């Protein structure tokens, strides 16, 4: 594990003229994500949201261009050594391992855990509202609890960048808000750089500080969440979320300050 | 650029497995070619009228067996599909899976015990014919045995096809008041017709490569197939040139059939899983129900008969004395050890090919597949083109220049059977591994879990059951095999099937029946275990 990984404090993430192709689809990303901020990545299906996260995480290799995390080119690094944690929409846990073990994997991939590690794991579980559930298997948990386990592992892994690939998309509205608030509080504490892919404007409004809007495989617009949601965003974004110019859909949605 | 997933060691494992398989099969070909080149005129002279008669008989018996197995199977499958609540349906389907596990030599003995000259039915046949019942030998014996094996197989495959018909179609049919005839013509037949070429092709393939049945029931030069011809050329006439000619013909024949099969989209590897009846909305009138029930019961009697005869004849043997014989104990131990090693090797080969194929697919993502990926995928199934007796014959010819061919019998039995069982093992292991990989690949990459650590921590829990299934099935196949051991067996290395054949040859029928019962039960237990493990697997997911 590299040194930067030990420090949870966020670092900037930059995609420098990155191009990538997936079968027929072409992607070209040139964008910087501000350190220690939560950026909501939005855009229509197929616009490249997940692809962008996969490039940062190292699951995909760019055809050209550089991926810089904290100023260092990580293009040659395999996913495990990049200073990044990612939470997927599903399959974040190994079904045959207990909650504790699943979280422990964030510290040691061979599950060789020290006493300190065990303490940290217990702490992370308590932090994510899973105290006392460490011995359970994933199938004994609800969908929301499983994603909490994934977040507990993020805490234990303690990397400066957190990638969220629609991790709460399959949860109900109230539960989703709870999970978003949990992410916000973890962020307030650790200050990692968060890239958050979502389809839900209210999710982006709830915790997003910045917005990057993707369209057709490239970055169509960037800006602060406030600007985007009061209607100052680009036309394509307004069409995507389905509000007319100057619409105040915002009134209905409580904005959570982070 | 760094690969996103650590795949190097997995691909390496696959290459090692492929190399081992290539060595085994390639070595056999070298043996054949060296021998052929050595005695070119002899090999050429072997293409005589007798040889062509053998080829003709091989094809003729296979064609008849296919017709007699597949034709009735269509109707038995349809009858079973129309009666989801037929009494004992699950039991019947389970019974229909048994021939898949039963060693051919055990079935051959069961059939002889039933329809043979001194069989249980001989009195009945004598009474009908009014003269001495000659017993079931030659073409009729071969056909009965092949139908015994393939009718249940084809029935299960057709039933599986019928059960892919959407429930909505049945709902629609019953709403429109479709009777049995139109329902068959409009709903069942199109599905059956789509499955027909594949099933018929599979059965035909199994019948032209059938060795044990023809050896034990053929009963003479008039009813000899290529495979038995190879065996006789090597073990009795010692005519290597003829063996080469026969082997090349056999390979050409199977190759053509498999090529045709893949064209037809057939799955060359059968399945041991039980189909479960879906909800049906249909009404069957009285006449049809009677007809269906008759059909099912007849098929059941035909399949259960030889099994029952095996048990009855086996219990009639002096089992206590048999168990006390040193030679029987020795053969049992040898069989168990060889089958165990063979199953182990088979499972290792399939696992290596599975992980390599997956790793190559992950690395590729899109674009055409490489030759290596093809080799680890469909290529593995093609070992079935080369019957065990052919591989055995090749090595037999190659090694006889080097030294004592009988000394390497254990190695040949273990390796050839391992490779032959591999396509079946692959079918158990691959879907489980691919599904687990689908779930865990990114997570493992992210957390840095790879190599042996990954195999132990992540893959083993989801692979334990399918590996055990594959192991049990491979062990049953290897345990019952007579092909390789018939060539390489000797007094010093005997397996149970070999000993059984020897006892049959010396007319110690009672002993043979006792051994058949033992062998049949062990194989059945193994396949039942495989089935259990496989089903538990399906439940877990």
């Amino acid at each position: 594990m590299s040194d930067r990984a030990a420090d949870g404090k966020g670092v900037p993430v930059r995609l420098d003229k990155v191009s990538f192709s997936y079968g027929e689809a072409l992607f070209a990303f040139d964008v910087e994500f501000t350190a220690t901020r939560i950026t909501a990545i939005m855009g229509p299906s197929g616009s490249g949201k997940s692809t962008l996260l996969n490039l940062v995480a190292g699951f995909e290799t760019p055809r050209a261009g550089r991926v810089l995390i904290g100023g260092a080119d990580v293009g040659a690094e395999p996913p495990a050594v990049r200073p990044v944690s990612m939470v997927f929409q599903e399959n974040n846990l190994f079904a045959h391992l207990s909650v504790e073990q699943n979280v422990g994997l964030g510290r040691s991939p061979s599950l060789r855990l020290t006493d300190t590690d065990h303490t940290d794991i217990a702490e992370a579980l308590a932090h994510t509202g899973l105290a006392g559930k460490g011995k359970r298997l994933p199938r004994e948990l609800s969908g929301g609890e499983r994603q909490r386990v994934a977040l507990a592992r993020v805490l234990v892994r303690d990397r400066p960048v957190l990638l969220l690939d629609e991790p709460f998309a399959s949860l109900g509205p109230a539960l989703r808000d709870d999970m978003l608030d949990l992410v916000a509080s973890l962020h307030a504490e650790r200050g990692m750089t968060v890239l958050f892919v979502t389809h839900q404007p209210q999710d982006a409004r709830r915790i997003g500080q910045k917005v990057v809007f993707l369209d057709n495989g490239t970055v169509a617009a960037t800006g602060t969440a406030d600007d985007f949601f009061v209607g100052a965003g680009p036309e394509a974004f307004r069409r995507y979320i389905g509000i007319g110019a100057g619409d105040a859909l915002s009134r209905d949605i409580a904005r959570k300050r982070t | 650029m760094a690969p996103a997933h650590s795949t190097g060691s997995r691909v390496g494992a696959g290459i090692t497995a492929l190399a081992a398989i290539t060595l085994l099969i390639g070595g056999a070909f070298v043996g054949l070619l060296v021998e052929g080149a050595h005695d070119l005129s002899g090999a050429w002279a072997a293409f005589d009228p007798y040889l062509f008669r053998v080829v003709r008989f091989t094809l003729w018996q296979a064609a008849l067996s296919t017709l007699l197995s597949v034709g009735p199977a269509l109707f038995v499958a349809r009858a079973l599909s129309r009666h989801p609540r037929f009494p004992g349906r699950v039991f019947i389907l389970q019974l229909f899976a048994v021939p898949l596990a039963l060693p051919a030599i055990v079935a051959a003995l069961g059939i002889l015990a039933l329809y043979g000259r001194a069989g249980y039915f001989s009195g009945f046949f004598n009474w009908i014919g009014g003269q001495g019942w000659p017993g079931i030998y030659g073409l009729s014996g071969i056909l009965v045995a092949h139908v015994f094996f393939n009718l249940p197989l084809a029935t299960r495959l057709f039933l599986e096809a019928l059960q892919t018909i959407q429930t909505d179609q049945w709902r629609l049919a019953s709403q429109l008041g479709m009777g049995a005839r139109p329902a068959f013509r409009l709903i069942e037949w199109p599905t059956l017709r789509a499955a027909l070429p594949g099933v018929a092709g599979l059965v035909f393939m199994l019948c032209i490569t059938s060795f044990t049945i023809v050896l034990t029931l053929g009963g003479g030069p008039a009813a000899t197939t290529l495979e038995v011809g190879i065996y006789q050329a090597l073990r009795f006439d010692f005519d290597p040139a003829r063996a080469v000619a026969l082997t090349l013909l056999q390979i050409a024949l199977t190759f053509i059939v498999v090529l045709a099969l893949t064209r037809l989209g057939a799955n060359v590897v059968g399945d041991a899983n039980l189909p479960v009846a879906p909800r049906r909305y249909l009404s069957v009138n009285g006449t049809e129900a009677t007809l269906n029930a008759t059909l099912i019961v007849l098929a059941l009697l035909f399949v259960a008969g030889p099994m029952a005869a095996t048990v009855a004849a086996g219990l009639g043997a002096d089992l206590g004395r048999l168990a006390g014989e040193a030679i029987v104990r020795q053969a049992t131990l040898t069989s168990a050890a060889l089958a165990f090693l063979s199953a182990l090797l088979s499972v290792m080969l399939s696992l290596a090919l599975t992980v390599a194929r997956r790793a190559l697919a992950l690395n590729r993502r899109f674009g055409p597949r490489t030759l290596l990926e093809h080799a680890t995928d469909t290529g593995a199934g093609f070992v079935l083109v080369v019957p065990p007796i052919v591989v055995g014959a090749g090595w037999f010819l190659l090694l006889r220049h080097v030294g004592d061919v009988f000394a390497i019998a254990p190695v040949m039995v273990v390796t050839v059977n391992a490779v032959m069982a591999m396509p079946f093992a692959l079918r158990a292991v691959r879907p489980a591994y691919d599904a687990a990989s689908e779930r865990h690949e990114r997570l493992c990459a992210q957390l840095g879990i790879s190599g042996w650590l990954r195999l132990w921590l992540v893959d083993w829990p989801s692979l334990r059951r399918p590996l055990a299934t594959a192991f049990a099935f491979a062990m049953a196949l290897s345990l019952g095999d007579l092909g390789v051991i018939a060539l390489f067996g000797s007094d010093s290395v005997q397996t149970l099937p070999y000993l059984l054949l020897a006892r049959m040859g010396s007319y110690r029928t009672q002993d043979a029946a006792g051994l058949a019962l033992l062998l049949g039960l062990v194989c059945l237990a193994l396949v039942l275990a495989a089935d259990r493990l496989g089903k538990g697997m399906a439940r877990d997911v």
Side-chain angles (χ1 to χ4, degrees), chain B residues 103-130:
Chain B
I105 192 159
V106 174
L109 268 173
I111 285 163
L112 283 179
L114 204 57
Y115 310 112
R117 196 150 54 92
Y120 295 122
F121 278 175
S122 59
F124 174 68
F125 287 130
N126 280 332
W127 177 72
I128 290 183

Side-chain angles (χ1 to χ4, degrees), chain A residues 12-251:
Chain A
V13 174
R14 175 161 176 68
L15 279 79
D16 180 23
K17 298 192 184 66
V18 166
S19 69
F20 178 75
S21 63
Y22 185 97
E24 297 274 284
L26 295 174
F27 300 94
F29 299 119
D30 192 49
V31 62
E32 170 145 358
F33 297 91
T34 320
T36 74
R37 288 295 140 91
I38 299 180
T39 307
I41 301 174
M42 304 191 70
S45 296
S47 59
K49 303 183 295 294
S50 292
T51 305
L52 193 151
L53 289 201
N54 283 338
L55 284 163
V56 175
F59 297 125
E60 307 283 10
T61 313
R63 220 168 46 175
R66 297 182 304 161
V67 177
L68 301 154
I69 302 179
D73 186 351
V74 296
E77 290 179 359
V81 303
R82 295 194 183 192
V84 162
S85 287
M86 186 156 168
V87 179
F88 313 114
Q89 188 169 346
E90 52 188 359
N91 295 323
N92 282 294
L93 307 182
F94 294 111
H96 58 280
L97 297 182
S98 71
V99 165
E100 262 174 9
Q101 287 175 311
N102 268 297
V103 175
L105 283 172
R107 200 44 75 77
S108 155
S110 54
L111 282 179
R112 272 190 272 275
L113 301 170
T114 64
D115 288 346
T116 329
D117 291 338
H118 282 295
T119 319
D120 290 351
I121 292 166
E123 218 167 86
L125 286 176
H127 223 92
T128 46
L130 292 166
K133 294 184 176 166
K135 301 284 180 226
R136 296 208 187 163
L137 288 174
R139 65 164 172 271
E140 298 164 323
L141 301 177
S142 69
E145 284 173 325
R146 282 180 213 166
Q147 298 304 65
R148 283 174 189 270
V149 178
L151 287 175
R153 188 169 56 216
V154 166
L155 284 180
V156 167
R157 239 164 98 81
D158 201 20
R159 305 271 164 123
V161 176
L162 172 59
L163 309 175
L164 301 172
D165 191 2
E166 299 193 61
F168 314 129
S170 55
L171 306 179
L175 193 53
R176 216 166 58 212
D177 285 350
D178 287 350
M179 297 300 291
L180 291 169
D181 294 350
L182 177 60
V183 169
S185 81
L186 299 182
H187 174 255
E189 187 184 315
R190 298 282 170 100
M192 63 281 224
T193 309
V194 179
L195 277 59
F196 176 34
V197 167
T198 180
H199 267 295
Q200 307 294 333
Q202 57 274 44
D203 289 5
R205 282 182 60 78
R206 196 173 180 92
I207 65 166
Q209 298 160 326
K210 303 211 148 194
V211 174
V212 165
F213 179 65
L214 303 184
D215 196 15
N216 216 357
T218 190
V219 176
T222 59
T224 65
D226 291 330
D227 289 348
F228 265 76
F229 287 104
V230 294
E235 172 65 27
F237 178 74
R238 292 201 301 271
R239 262 205 316 276
Y240 167 65
I241 61 170
I243 50 173
D247 188 340
L249 173 103
S250 47
R251 272 197 301 273

Side-chain angles (χ1 to χ4, degrees), chain A residues 21-23 54 58-62 76 79-80 85-86 88 91-94 96 105 109-111 153 157, chain B residues 1-5 365-366 438-449 453 456-459 461-462:
Chain A
S21 63
Y22 185 97
N54 283 338
F59 297 125
E60 307 283 10
T61 313
S85 287
M86 186 156 168
F88 313 114
N91 295 323
N92 282 294
L93 307 182
F94 294 111
H96 58 280
L105 283 172
S110 54
L111 282 179
R153 188 169 56 216
R157 239 164 98 81
Chain B
M1 291 197 200
H5 308 284
R365 300 296 310 279
F366 14 74
E438 190 64 41
R439 282 199 303 275
H440 300 322
E441 205 63 51
R442 287 203 298 179
L443 199 52
C444 285
Q446 163 115 136
L447 298 171
I449 305 171
L453 178 64
W456 173 243
L457 194 69
V458 177
D459 294 331
S462 43

